Amino acid sequence: MSEELAARGQTTAAQVRKDLSHFGSFGKRGLGYRVRELRASLQRIIGVDRPWRVALVGAGRIGLALFEYPAFRARGYECVAIVDSDPEKIGTVWGNLTIRGPEEFETIVASLDVELIILAVPGPAAQELAARAVDAGVKGILNFAPIRLNVPPRVPVEDVNLIMELEALSFAITQAQRDA
Amino acid sequence: MSEELAARGQTTAAQVRKDLSHFGSFGKRGLGYRVRELRASLQRIIGVDRPWRVALVGAGRIGLALFEYPAFRARGYECVAIVDSDPEKIGTVWGNLTIRGPEEFETIVASLDVELIILAVPGPAAQELAARAVDAGVKGILNFAPIRLNVPPRVPVEDVNLIMELEALSFAITQAQRDA
DNA sequence: GCATGTGAATAGGTTCACAGCC
DNA sequence: GGCTGTGAACCTATTCACATGC
């Protein structure tokens, strides 16, 4: 039931029903939802009913942590290439992949059908690599660089900015202390 | 001017002015804002005009990546302790810190005045550690575990869920392809 | 009878546009 | 003259409440 889904999702039953109604009608009145079917429908809507080919750009510590994060593959995000500009790292093998140099980037994206990149490089390099990725056909970017990437609007970008997350905590705590 | 701030923040001039008006009046009509002063005011409002003491809970790859991320310290978030439950890791030294076992957690939080924790442990362990952190006096949690932490409402939690970020990209791309 | 799906009502947030002040 | 700060208008999102259909 929407009530149970809401409890799990930290929201309200009405919200669940209204959100679902944007995409269709998935339940049965008087009964609720059949979970397997609903899940399958949502997976299709979100687009995670098929694997996605991902390239990791930046083989630093964040890149490594992400590369070894098993949940990615488990959820259908398959890392098919790693690129880094550090000559020390190029040629190194991680798992079943060899780290490539940035000059091969376009070739890799095209030949391996890379759809998404995880951009985990220092700020200054990020914009150029993002632009090259988009030109090479990448369709979306998960960006860890603390800059606002300038890419065409058709290419979605999700920013992960850990400093801002911590600052959100600092703000919430500071506010609460002031109110008290 | 609000116009310039908006351009940098990917928003509109009216939005910038309205947002600032929530906290006070910071500009001069006809002139715009004095950047140094505005920045100082905002830092005070957000609560980042002083350092914050942070403990890292979970010394896996994500923990390591975060620990070595220099921007944290640069922005005033100082890691004062590391906790992990792996006996192999306890006693290991990272930088100037020795990794401690979870049984010392409460002592550490109290004696070192830990205000925030970065929770980078596997899902199952996260809830218990979060609860213990809160009981020990932690005021906010940056949560990397893919679960919804159950903590009192006075303790803000920021979730970082990379799978959901990737899924947001998959959804945006899938939607765009459907519309086309 | 019971829970969905959905119009209507409400709340919240963004944009407009201009009075007020430098 | 020029830009802020802010009510008013607008738009979007959430909540309510009930008709609908199993």
Side-chain angles (χ1 to χ4, degrees), chain B residues 73-127:
Chain B
R73 176 170 296 259
R75 293 305 199 89
Y77 294 94
E78 191 191 1
C79 189
V80 297
I82 309 171
V83 175
D84 197 287
S85 64
D86 182 348
E88 293 272 305
K89 285 181 186 144
I90 296 169
T92 304
V93 175
W94 280 10
N96 54 334
L97 294 175
T98 304
I99 298 179
R100 306 306 191 87
E103 72 286 351
E104 298 185 61
F105 191 28
E106 282 78 2
T107 322
I108 290 167
V109 168
S111 65
L112 296 175
D113 267 325
V114 171
E115 297 179 281
L116 304 175
I117 62 167
I118 298 178
L119 193 55
V121 299
Q127 175 59 53

Side-chain angles (χ1 to χ4, degrees), chain A residues 8-10 23 44-48 50 52 54 61-62 64-66 68-69 71-72 75 77 115-118 139-142 144 146 148-149 156-160 162-163 165-178, chain B residues 8-10 23 44-48 50 52 54 61-62 64-66 68-69 71-72 75 77 115-118 139-142 144 146 148-149 154 156-160 162-163 165-175 177-178:
Chain A
R8 296 214 189 194
Q10 206 113 101
F23 298 102
R44 208 162 44 250
I45 290 165
I46 295 170
V48 292
R50 59 150 178 115
W52 287 79
V54 181
R61 303 209 194 277
I62 293 178
L64 176 61
L66 299 174
E68 307 221 324
Y69 187 41
F72 279 149
R75 295 304 198 91
Y77 295 94
E115 296 178 280
L116 303 174
I117 61 167
I118 297 177
K139 293 181 194 150
I141 301 175
L142 181 60
F144 286 82
R148 211 168 285 276
L149 296 177
V157 176
E158 290 287 323
D159 291 302
V160 178
L162 301 176
I163 295 292
E165 307 277 352
L166 284 174
E167 288 180 347
L169 293 176
S170 296
F171 175 63
I173 294 165
T174 305
Q175 281 298 89
Q177 283 171 352
R178 246 164 233 167
Chain B
R8 297 213 186 192
Q10 208 113 106
F23 299 102
R44 208 162 42 248
I45 289 164
I46 295 169
V48 292
R50 58 148 180 117
W52 287 80
V54 181
R61 302 211 193 276
I62 292 177
L64 177 60
L66 298 174
E68 307 221 325
Y69 186 42
F72 279 150
R75 293 305 199 89
Y77 294 94
E115 297 179 281
L116 304 175
I117 62 167
I118 298 178
K139 296 182 193 150
I141 301 175
L142 181 59
F144 285 83
R148 211 168 287 277
L149 295 178
R154 81 190 135 80
V157 175
E158 289 287 323
D159 291 301
V160 178
L162 301 175
I163 295 292
E165 305 277 353
L166 284 173
E167 288 180 349
L169 293 176
S170 296
F171 175 63
I173 295 166
T174 305
Q175 281 298 89
Q177 282 170 352
R178 248 162 229 165

